[in-house]
Short mmCIF file of all heavy atoms in Angstrom, two decimals:
data_model
loop_
_atom_site.label_atom_id
_atom_site.label_comp_id
_atom_site.label_asym_id
_atom_site.label_seq_id
_atom_site.Cartn_x
_atom_site.Cartn_y
_atom_site.Cartn_z
N MET R 790 96.94 92.06 91.42
CA MET R 790 97.39 91.41 90.21
C MET R 790 97.53 92.48 89.12
O MET R 790 96.54 93.07 88.69
CB MET R 790 96.38 90.32 89.84
CG MET R 790 96.71 89.65 88.56
SD MET R 790 95.98 88.01 88.45
CE MET R 790 97.05 87.13 89.56
N GLU R 791 98.73 92.72 88.76
CA GLU R 791 99.07 93.80 87.84
C GLU R 791 98.33 93.71 86.50
O GLU R 791 97.92 94.73 85.94
CB GLU R 791 100.58 93.80 87.60
CG GLU R 791 101.08 94.98 86.80
CD GLU R 791 100.98 96.30 87.53
OE1 GLU R 791 100.95 96.32 88.78
OE2 GLU R 791 100.91 97.33 86.84
N GLN R 792 98.12 92.48 85.99
CA GLN R 792 97.45 92.33 84.71
C GLN R 792 96.04 92.90 84.72
O GLN R 792 95.58 93.47 83.74
CB GLN R 792 97.36 90.85 84.28
CG GLN R 792 98.69 90.20 84.08
CD GLN R 792 99.08 89.37 85.29
OE1 GLN R 792 98.81 89.73 86.43
NE2 GLN R 792 99.75 88.26 85.05
N LEU R 793 95.35 92.75 85.84
CA LEU R 793 93.98 93.25 85.93
C LEU R 793 93.94 94.77 85.87
O LEU R 793 93.11 95.34 85.17
CB LEU R 793 93.31 92.76 87.23
CG LEU R 793 93.15 91.26 87.37
CD1 LEU R 793 92.49 90.94 88.70
CD2 LEU R 793 92.35 90.69 86.22
N LYS R 794 94.84 95.40 86.58
CA LYS R 794 94.88 96.86 86.57
C LYS R 794 95.27 97.38 85.18
O LYS R 794 94.67 98.33 84.68
CB LYS R 794 95.86 97.37 87.62
CG LYS R 794 95.84 98.87 87.75
CD LYS R 794 96.69 99.33 88.91
CE LYS R 794 96.56 100.83 89.08
NZ LYS R 794 97.30 101.30 90.24
N LYS R 795 96.25 96.75 84.56
CA LYS R 795 96.68 97.18 83.22
C LYS R 795 95.52 97.03 82.23
O LYS R 795 95.30 97.91 81.40
CB LYS R 795 97.87 96.35 82.75
CG LYS R 795 99.16 96.75 83.40
CD LYS R 795 100.32 95.92 82.86
CE LYS R 795 101.61 96.32 83.52
NZ LYS R 795 102.74 95.54 83.01
N TRP R 796 94.79 95.91 82.31
CA TRP R 796 93.67 95.71 81.40
C TRP R 796 92.62 96.79 81.62
O TRP R 796 92.12 97.39 80.67
CB TRP R 796 93.03 94.33 81.62
CG TRP R 796 91.78 94.19 80.82
CD1 TRP R 796 91.69 93.80 79.52
CD2 TRP R 796 90.44 94.50 81.24
NE1 TRP R 796 90.38 93.85 79.11
CE2 TRP R 796 89.60 94.28 80.14
CE3 TRP R 796 89.89 94.96 82.43
CZ2 TRP R 796 88.22 94.48 80.21
CZ3 TRP R 796 88.53 95.16 82.50
CH2 TRP R 796 87.71 94.92 81.40
N ARG R 797 92.29 97.04 82.88
CA ARG R 797 91.24 98.02 83.20
C ARG R 797 91.62 99.40 82.69
O ARG R 797 90.81 100.09 82.06
CB ARG R 797 91.00 98.04 84.71
CG ARG R 797 89.83 98.89 85.11
CD ARG R 797 89.52 98.74 86.59
NE ARG R 797 90.62 99.04 87.47
CZ ARG R 797 91.02 100.28 87.79
NH1 ARG R 797 90.42 101.32 87.29
NH2 ARG R 797 92.02 100.47 88.63
N GLU R 798 92.85 99.81 82.94
CA GLU R 798 93.29 101.13 82.51
C GLU R 798 93.37 101.23 80.99
O GLU R 798 92.98 102.24 80.41
CB GLU R 798 94.64 101.46 83.15
CG GLU R 798 94.51 101.69 84.65
CD GLU R 798 95.84 101.88 85.35
OE1 GLU R 798 96.91 101.59 84.75
OE2 GLU R 798 95.82 102.31 86.53
N ALA R 799 93.83 100.17 80.33
CA ALA R 799 93.93 100.17 78.87
C ALA R 799 92.56 100.23 78.21
O ALA R 799 92.43 100.72 77.08
CB ALA R 799 94.68 98.93 78.39
N ASN R 800 91.55 99.75 78.91
CA ASN R 800 90.20 99.73 78.36
C ASN R 800 89.31 100.83 78.92
O ASN R 800 88.09 100.78 78.74
CB ASN R 800 89.58 98.35 78.60
CG ASN R 800 90.21 97.31 77.71
OD1 ASN R 800 89.87 97.19 76.54
ND2 ASN R 800 91.18 96.58 78.24
N ASP R 801 89.93 101.80 79.57
CA ASP R 801 89.20 102.95 80.12
C ASP R 801 87.99 102.48 80.93
O ASP R 801 86.87 102.93 80.72
CB ASP R 801 88.79 103.89 78.99
CG ASP R 801 88.40 105.26 79.53
OD1 ASP R 801 88.91 105.66 80.58
OD2 ASP R 801 87.56 105.92 78.88
N CYS R 802 88.25 101.56 81.82
CA CYS R 802 87.20 100.91 82.60
C CYS R 802 87.40 101.23 84.08
O CYS R 802 88.52 101.16 84.58
CB CYS R 802 87.31 99.41 82.35
SG CYS R 802 86.01 98.41 83.05
N THR R 803 86.35 101.57 84.77
CA THR R 803 86.45 101.81 86.20
C THR R 803 86.45 100.48 86.94
O THR R 803 86.04 99.45 86.39
CB THR R 803 85.27 102.66 86.73
OG1 THR R 803 84.07 101.88 86.60
CG2 THR R 803 85.15 103.97 85.98
N ALA R 804 86.90 100.50 88.18
CA ALA R 804 86.86 99.29 89.00
C ALA R 804 85.42 98.83 89.20
O ALA R 804 85.15 97.63 89.26
CB ALA R 804 87.55 99.53 90.34
N GLU R 805 84.52 99.77 89.29
CA GLU R 805 83.11 99.44 89.45
C GLU R 805 82.59 98.69 88.22
O GLU R 805 81.89 97.68 88.33
CB GLU R 805 82.29 100.70 89.68
CG GLU R 805 80.85 100.44 90.00
CD GLU R 805 80.09 101.71 90.41
OE1 GLU R 805 80.64 102.82 90.30
OE2 GLU R 805 78.95 101.56 90.84
N MET R 806 82.95 99.18 87.03
CA MET R 806 82.52 98.52 85.79
C MET R 806 83.14 97.13 85.66
O MET R 806 82.46 96.18 85.28
CB MET R 806 82.89 99.39 84.59
CG MET R 806 82.10 100.68 84.50
SD MET R 806 82.77 101.95 83.37
CE MET R 806 83.21 101.07 81.92
N ALA R 807 84.43 97.02 85.96
CA ALA R 807 85.11 95.74 85.85
C ALA R 807 84.51 94.73 86.83
O ALA R 807 84.25 93.58 86.47
CB ALA R 807 86.61 95.91 86.11
N GLY R 808 84.30 95.16 88.06
CA GLY R 808 83.70 94.29 89.05
C GLY R 808 82.33 93.81 88.63
O GLY R 808 82.01 92.63 88.75
N ALA R 809 81.53 94.74 88.13
CA ALA R 809 80.18 94.38 87.68
C ALA R 809 80.24 93.35 86.55
O ALA R 809 79.38 92.48 86.45
CB ALA R 809 79.42 95.62 87.22
N GLY R 810 81.28 93.44 85.73
CA GLY R 810 81.43 92.51 84.62
C GLY R 810 81.66 91.08 85.04
O GLY R 810 81.39 90.15 84.28
N VAL R 811 82.15 90.89 86.26
CA VAL R 811 82.37 89.53 86.76
C VAL R 811 81.53 89.22 88.00
O VAL R 811 81.68 88.18 88.62
CB VAL R 811 83.87 89.24 87.05
CG1 VAL R 811 84.68 89.29 85.78
CG2 VAL R 811 84.43 90.20 88.08
N GLY R 812 80.66 90.16 88.36
CA GLY R 812 79.72 89.91 89.45
C GLY R 812 80.25 90.17 90.85
O GLY R 812 79.81 89.52 91.80
N VAL R 813 81.20 91.10 90.97
CA VAL R 813 81.71 91.46 92.30
C VAL R 813 81.66 92.98 92.46
O VAL R 813 81.48 93.71 91.49
CB VAL R 813 83.15 90.94 92.53
CG1 VAL R 813 83.21 89.43 92.45
CG2 VAL R 813 84.15 91.59 91.58
N SER R 814 81.86 93.42 93.67
CA SER R 814 81.85 94.86 93.95
C SER R 814 83.14 95.52 93.48
O SER R 814 84.14 94.85 93.20
CB SER R 814 81.68 95.10 95.45
OG SER R 814 82.87 94.69 96.14
N LYS R 815 83.10 96.83 93.44
CA LYS R 815 84.28 97.63 93.13
C LYS R 815 85.41 97.32 94.11
O LYS R 815 86.56 97.14 93.71
CB LYS R 815 83.89 99.11 93.19
CG LYS R 815 85.04 100.08 93.18
CD LYS R 815 84.49 101.49 93.32
CE LYS R 815 85.40 102.35 94.13
NZ LYS R 815 84.90 103.72 94.25
N VAL R 816 85.07 97.24 95.38
CA VAL R 816 86.07 96.96 96.42
C VAL R 816 86.70 95.59 96.20
O VAL R 816 87.92 95.43 96.30
CB VAL R 816 85.45 97.09 97.83
CG1 VAL R 816 86.41 96.60 98.89
CG2 VAL R 816 85.03 98.52 98.09
N HIS R 817 85.89 94.61 95.90
CA HIS R 817 86.39 93.25 95.64
C HIS R 817 87.36 93.28 94.47
O HIS R 817 88.45 92.70 94.52
CB HIS R 817 85.22 92.31 95.36
CG HIS R 817 85.60 90.87 95.29
ND1 HIS R 817 84.90 89.91 95.94
CD2 HIS R 817 86.58 90.22 94.64
CE1 HIS R 817 85.43 88.72 95.70
NE2 HIS R 817 86.47 88.90 94.89
N TRP R 818 86.98 93.95 93.38
CA TRP R 818 87.84 94.04 92.20
C TRP R 818 89.17 94.70 92.56
O TRP R 818 90.23 94.21 92.17
CB TRP R 818 87.15 94.81 91.08
CG TRP R 818 88.03 94.89 89.86
CD1 TRP R 818 88.94 95.86 89.56
CD2 TRP R 818 88.11 93.94 88.81
NE1 TRP R 818 89.57 95.57 88.38
CE2 TRP R 818 89.08 94.39 87.90
CE3 TRP R 818 87.45 92.75 88.53
CZ2 TRP R 818 89.42 93.70 86.74
CZ3 TRP R 818 87.79 92.06 87.37
CH2 TRP R 818 88.76 92.53 86.50
N LEU R 819 89.12 95.80 93.29
CA LEU R 819 90.35 96.48 93.67
C LEU R 819 91.24 95.60 94.54
O LEU R 819 92.47 95.64 94.43
CB LEU R 819 90.04 97.81 94.37
CG LEU R 819 89.47 98.89 93.45
CD1 LEU R 819 89.00 100.09 94.27
CD2 LEU R 819 90.49 99.31 92.40
N ARG R 820 90.64 94.80 95.38
CA ARG R 820 91.42 93.86 96.21
C ARG R 820 92.07 92.79 95.34
O ARG R 820 93.19 92.35 95.63
CB ARG R 820 90.54 93.24 97.28
CG ARG R 820 90.20 94.23 98.37
CD ARG R 820 89.35 93.63 99.44
NE ARG R 820 89.11 94.63 100.48
CZ ARG R 820 88.11 94.57 101.34
NH1 ARG R 820 87.26 93.56 101.31
NH2 ARG R 820 87.96 95.52 102.24
N LEU R 821 91.39 92.36 94.29
CA LEU R 821 92.01 91.42 93.34
C LEU R 821 93.20 92.09 92.66
O LEU R 821 94.27 91.49 92.54
CB LEU R 821 90.99 90.97 92.29
CG LEU R 821 89.84 90.09 92.77
CD1 LEU R 821 88.80 89.93 91.67
CD2 LEU R 821 90.34 88.73 93.25
N GLU R 822 93.00 93.31 92.20
CA GLU R 822 94.08 94.05 91.55
C GLU R 822 95.29 94.21 92.45
O GLU R 822 96.44 94.08 92.01
CB GLU R 822 93.61 95.46 91.15
CG GLU R 822 92.86 95.56 89.89
CD GLU R 822 92.59 96.99 89.47
OE1 GLU R 822 93.07 97.95 90.10
OE2 GLU R 822 91.89 97.15 88.47
N ASN R 823 95.04 94.53 93.70
CA ASN R 823 96.12 94.81 94.65
C ASN R 823 96.73 93.55 95.25
O ASN R 823 97.71 93.64 96.00
CB ASN R 823 95.61 95.70 95.78
CG ASN R 823 95.23 97.07 95.28
OD1 ASN R 823 95.83 97.58 94.35
ND2 ASN R 823 94.23 97.67 95.89
N GLY R 824 96.16 92.40 94.95
CA GLY R 824 96.67 91.16 95.50
C GLY R 824 96.24 90.91 96.93
O GLY R 824 96.76 90.01 97.59
N ASP R 825 95.28 91.70 97.41
CA ASP R 825 94.77 91.52 98.77
C ASP R 825 93.74 90.39 98.83
O ASP R 825 93.37 89.96 99.91
CB ASP R 825 94.13 92.80 99.29
CG ASP R 825 95.14 93.93 99.44
OD1 ASP R 825 96.33 93.63 99.66
OD2 ASP R 825 94.74 95.10 99.34
N ARG R 826 93.28 89.97 97.69
CA ARG R 826 92.30 88.88 97.61
C ARG R 826 92.74 87.96 96.48
O ARG R 826 93.10 88.42 95.40
CB ARG R 826 90.92 89.46 97.33
CG ARG R 826 89.86 88.43 97.34
CD ARG R 826 88.49 89.07 97.42
NE ARG R 826 87.71 88.24 98.31
CZ ARG R 826 86.79 88.67 99.12
NH1 ARG R 826 86.51 89.94 99.17
NH2 ARG R 826 86.12 87.85 99.88
N ALA R 827 92.73 86.67 96.73
CA ALA R 827 93.15 85.70 95.72
C ALA R 827 92.06 85.50 94.67
O ALA R 827 90.88 85.55 94.98
CB ALA R 827 93.47 84.36 96.38
N VAL R 828 92.49 85.28 93.45
CA VAL R 828 91.57 84.96 92.37
C VAL R 828 91.25 83.48 92.50
O VAL R 828 92.14 82.63 92.44
CB VAL R 828 92.22 85.25 90.99
CG1 VAL R 828 91.30 84.79 89.87
CG2 VAL R 828 92.54 86.73 90.84
N THR R 829 89.98 83.17 92.70
CA THR R 829 89.56 81.77 92.79
C THR R 829 89.50 81.18 91.38
O THR R 829 89.51 81.91 90.38
CB THR R 829 88.18 81.65 93.44
OG1 THR R 829 87.21 82.30 92.60
CG2 THR R 829 88.16 82.25 94.84
N ALA R 830 89.39 79.87 91.31
CA ALA R 830 89.27 79.21 90.01
C ALA R 830 88.04 79.71 89.26
O ALA R 830 88.11 80.03 88.07
CB ALA R 830 89.21 77.70 90.19
N GLN R 831 86.91 79.80 89.96
CA GLN R 831 85.68 80.28 89.33
C GLN R 831 85.82 81.73 88.87
O GLN R 831 85.38 82.09 87.78
CB GLN R 831 84.52 80.15 90.32
CG GLN R 831 83.19 80.54 89.74
CD GLN R 831 82.06 80.38 90.75
OE1 GLN R 831 82.28 80.24 91.95
NE2 GLN R 831 80.84 80.42 90.26
N MET R 832 86.47 82.55 89.69
CA MET R 832 86.66 83.95 89.33
C MET R 832 87.61 84.07 88.14
O MET R 832 87.43 84.94 87.28
CB MET R 832 87.20 84.73 90.53
CG MET R 832 87.33 86.21 90.30
SD MET R 832 85.78 87.07 89.94
CE MET R 832 84.86 86.74 91.41
N ALA R 833 88.62 83.21 88.07
CA ALA R 833 89.57 83.25 86.95
C ALA R 833 88.85 83.03 85.62
O ALA R 833 89.16 83.69 84.63
CB ALA R 833 90.66 82.21 87.15
N VAL R 834 87.89 82.13 85.61
CA VAL R 834 87.12 81.86 84.39
C VAL R 834 86.30 83.09 84.01
O VAL R 834 86.27 83.50 82.83
CB VAL R 834 86.22 80.62 84.57
CG1 VAL R 834 85.29 80.44 83.38
CG2 VAL R 834 87.08 79.38 84.78
N LYS R 835 85.67 83.72 84.97
CA LYS R 835 84.87 84.92 84.69
C LYS R 835 85.75 86.07 84.22
O LYS R 835 85.39 86.79 83.28
CB LYS R 835 84.11 85.35 85.95
CG LYS R 835 83.00 84.41 86.35
CD LYS R 835 82.33 84.87 87.62
CE LYS R 835 81.23 83.94 88.06
NZ LYS R 835 80.56 84.42 89.28
N ILE R 836 86.89 86.23 84.85
CA ILE R 836 87.81 87.31 84.46
C ILE R 836 88.34 87.06 83.06
O ILE R 836 88.46 87.98 82.26
CB ILE R 836 88.95 87.46 85.48
CG1 ILE R 836 88.39 87.98 86.81
CG2 ILE R 836 90.04 88.38 84.96
CD1 ILE R 836 89.39 87.97 87.96
N GLU R 837 88.63 85.81 82.74
CA GLU R 837 89.10 85.47 81.40
C GLU R 837 88.06 85.86 80.35
O GLU R 837 88.41 86.44 79.31
CB GLU R 837 89.40 83.97 81.31
CG GLU R 837 89.88 83.54 79.93
CD GLU R 837 90.10 82.05 79.84
OE1 GLU R 837 89.23 81.28 80.29
OE2 GLU R 837 91.15 81.66 79.30
N ARG R 838 86.80 85.56 80.63
CA ARG R 838 85.72 85.92 79.69
C ARG R 838 85.64 87.43 79.48
O ARG R 838 85.41 87.90 78.37
CB ARG R 838 84.39 85.39 80.17
CG ARG R 838 84.22 83.92 80.02
CD ARG R 838 82.81 83.48 80.39
NE ARG R 838 82.80 82.05 80.64
CZ ARG R 838 82.24 81.47 81.69
NH1 ARG R 838 81.60 82.19 82.59
NH2 ARG R 838 82.28 80.18 81.84
N LEU R 839 85.80 88.17 80.56
CA LEU R 839 85.68 89.63 80.49
C LEU R 839 86.90 90.27 79.85
O LEU R 839 86.77 91.13 78.98
CB LEU R 839 85.48 90.21 81.89
CG LEU R 839 85.44 91.74 81.98
CD1 LEU R 839 84.16 92.27 81.34
CD2 LEU R 839 85.55 92.18 83.42
N THR R 840 88.08 89.85 80.26
CA THR R 840 89.31 90.57 79.90
C THR R 840 90.12 89.93 78.79
O THR R 840 90.92 90.60 78.14
CB THR R 840 90.24 90.68 81.12
OG1 THR R 840 90.71 89.38 81.47
CG2 THR R 840 89.55 91.34 82.29
N GLY R 841 89.94 88.64 78.61
CA GLY R 841 90.78 87.92 77.65
C GLY R 841 92.10 87.47 78.26
O GLY R 841 92.89 86.80 77.60
N ILE R 842 92.34 87.81 79.53
CA ILE R 842 93.55 87.34 80.21
C ILE R 842 93.34 85.85 80.51
O ILE R 842 92.39 85.49 81.19
CB ILE R 842 93.79 88.11 81.53
CG1 ILE R 842 93.97 89.60 81.26
CG2 ILE R 842 94.99 87.54 82.27
CD1 ILE R 842 93.96 90.47 82.52
N PRO R 843 94.22 85.00 80.00
CA PRO R 843 94.02 83.56 80.18
C PRO R 843 93.98 83.15 81.65
O PRO R 843 94.73 83.67 82.48
CB PRO R 843 95.24 82.93 79.50
CG PRO R 843 95.76 83.99 78.59
CD PRO R 843 95.42 85.30 79.24
N ARG R 844 93.09 82.24 81.95
CA ARG R 844 92.98 81.74 83.33
C ARG R 844 94.29 81.12 83.81
O ARG R 844 94.61 81.16 84.97
CB ARG R 844 91.83 80.74 83.45
CG ARG R 844 92.00 79.50 82.62
CD ARG R 844 90.80 78.60 82.63
NE ARG R 844 89.82 79.12 81.69
CZ ARG R 844 88.71 78.50 81.36
NH1 ARG R 844 88.40 77.36 81.90
NH2 ARG R 844 87.88 79.03 80.50
N GLU R 845 95.07 80.60 82.86
CA GLU R 845 96.38 80.03 83.21
C GLU R 845 97.33 81.10 83.73
O GLU R 845 98.19 80.82 84.56
CB GLU R 845 97.02 79.34 81.99
CG GLU R 845 96.23 78.18 81.45
CD GLU R 845 95.15 78.58 80.46
OE1 GLU R 845 95.02 79.76 80.12
OE2 GLU R 845 94.41 77.69 80.01
N THR R 846 97.17 82.32 83.25
CA THR R 846 97.98 83.43 83.72
C THR R 846 97.52 83.88 85.10
O THR R 846 98.34 84.20 85.96
CB THR R 846 97.87 84.62 82.74
OG1 THR R 846 98.35 84.20 81.46
CG2 THR R 846 98.66 85.82 83.21
N LEU R 847 96.21 83.87 85.30
CA LEU R 847 95.65 84.31 86.57
C LEU R 847 95.91 83.31 87.69
O LEU R 847 96.17 83.71 88.83
CB LEU R 847 94.13 84.53 86.41
CG LEU R 847 93.73 85.62 85.42
CD1 LEU R 847 92.25 85.52 85.10
CD2 LEU R 847 94.09 86.99 85.97
N ARG R 848 95.83 82.02 87.39
CA ARG R 848 96.03 80.97 88.39
C ARG R 848 96.79 79.80 87.78
O ARG R 848 96.24 78.73 87.55
CB ARG R 848 94.68 80.49 88.93
CG ARG R 848 93.99 81.42 89.89
CD ARG R 848 94.81 81.78 91.12
NE ARG R 848 95.23 80.64 91.91
CZ ARG R 848 94.62 80.23 93.02
NH1 ARG R 848 93.56 80.87 93.48
NH2 ARG R 848 95.07 79.19 93.68
N PRO R 849 98.08 79.98 87.52
CA PRO R 849 98.85 78.89 86.91
C PRO R 849 98.95 77.66 87.81
O PRO R 849 99.18 76.55 87.32
CB PRO R 849 100.23 79.51 86.69
CG PRO R 849 100.30 80.67 87.62
CD PRO R 849 98.88 81.16 87.77
N ASP R 850 98.74 77.83 89.11
CA ASP R 850 98.78 76.70 90.03
C ASP R 850 97.55 75.80 89.90
O ASP R 850 97.60 74.63 90.30
CB ASP R 850 98.90 77.20 91.47
CG ASP R 850 97.75 78.13 91.87
OD1 ASP R 850 97.32 78.95 91.03
OD2 ASP R 850 97.30 78.05 93.02
N ILE R 851 96.49 76.31 89.32
CA ILE R 851 95.26 75.54 89.15
C ILE R 851 95.09 75.07 87.71
O ILE R 851 94.75 73.93 87.46
CB ILE R 851 94.02 76.36 89.57
CG1 ILE R 851 94.09 76.71 91.05
CG2 ILE R 851 92.73 75.61 89.25
CD1 ILE R 851 92.98 77.63 91.50
N PHE R 852 95.31 75.99 86.77
CA PHE R 852 95.07 75.70 85.36
C PHE R 852 96.39 75.46 84.63
O PHE R 852 97.31 76.25 84.75
CB PHE R 852 94.33 76.87 84.69
CG PHE R 852 93.00 77.14 85.30
CD1 PHE R 852 92.82 78.21 86.16
CD2 PHE R 852 91.90 76.33 85.00
CE1 PHE R 852 91.58 78.49 86.73
CE2 PHE R 852 90.66 76.59 85.57
CZ PHE R 852 90.51 77.67 86.43
N LYS R 853 96.44 74.39 83.89
CA LYS R 853 97.61 74.09 83.07
C LYS R 853 97.43 74.72 81.71
O LYS R 853 96.32 75.03 81.30
CB LYS R 853 97.79 72.59 82.94
CG LYS R 853 98.03 71.92 84.27
CD LYS R 853 98.20 70.44 84.11
CE LYS R 853 98.37 69.85 85.50
NZ LYS R 853 99.02 68.61 85.54
N GLU R 854 98.53 74.93 81.02
CA GLU R 854 98.47 75.46 79.66
C GLU R 854 97.54 74.60 78.81
O GLU R 854 97.64 73.38 78.81
CB GLU R 854 99.86 75.48 79.02
CG GLU R 854 100.78 76.51 79.60
CD GLU R 854 100.48 77.91 79.14
OE1 GLU R 854 99.91 78.08 78.04
OE2 GLU R 854 100.82 78.84 79.86
N ARG R 855 96.64 75.26 78.10
CA ARG R 855 95.76 74.55 77.19
C ARG R 855 96.48 74.38 75.85
O ARG R 855 97.20 75.25 75.42
CB ARG R 855 94.45 75.31 76.98
CG ARG R 855 93.58 75.27 78.19
CD ARG R 855 92.32 76.03 77.97
NE ARG R 855 92.62 77.45 78.17
CZ ARG R 855 91.75 78.42 77.99
NH1 ARG R 855 90.54 78.17 77.59
NH2 ARG R 855 92.09 79.67 78.20
N ALA R 856 96.25 73.28 75.21
CA ALA R 856 96.86 73.03 73.90
C ALA R 856 96.43 74.11 72.93
O ALA R 856 95.26 74.45 72.84
CB ALA R 856 96.44 71.65 73.38
N GLY R 857 97.39 74.68 72.23
CA GLY R 857 97.10 75.72 71.26
C GLY R 857 96.87 77.09 71.84
O GLY R 857 96.60 78.04 71.13
N ALA R 858 96.97 77.24 73.15
CA ALA R 858 96.73 78.54 73.78
C ALA R 858 97.97 79.37 73.77
O ALA R 858 99.05 78.94 73.66
CB ALA R 858 96.24 78.35 75.21
#
């Protein structure tokens, strides 16, 4: 998922640091970035808290646009 990699690079954050921020390993985070692993609904919420990337962007098939978002 390109947004995750862009966020990490823009924030001078390693994959290990980003993964730790949402409770997964460096390898897991890199698989999310590369699209080798799907972002679950629960993970989308955690990633949103860490990165500010809306969960609707991460999983539009699960989350609908929130009013005012």
Side-chain angles (χ1 to χ4, degrees):
M790 176 157 286
E791 187 68 24
Q792 298 99 325
L793 297 179
K794 186 173 185 177
K795 284 182 181 180
W796 173 85
R797 187 173 57 78
E798 291 174 347
N800 288 279
D801 196 28
C802 187
T803 66
E805 187 172 8
M806 291 165 45
V811 295
V813 299
S814 69
K815 168 183 144 179
V816 171
H817 189 133
W818 180 270
L819 290 172
R820 288 181 178 159
L821 292 170
E822 278 188 5
N823 294 327
D825 295 332
R826 184 166 220 146
V828 175
T829 64
Q831 183 179 15
M832 184 62 60
V834 172
K835 291 178 181 181
I836 292 171
E837 180 183 46
R838 286 186 198 132
L839 176 70
T840 67
I842 300 170
R844 63 187 80 173
E845 298 86 3
T846 299
L847 297 166
R848 285 303 302 261
D850 58 321
I851 297 175
F852 299 103
K853 298 180 183 202
E854 290 283 335
R855 289 180 279 177

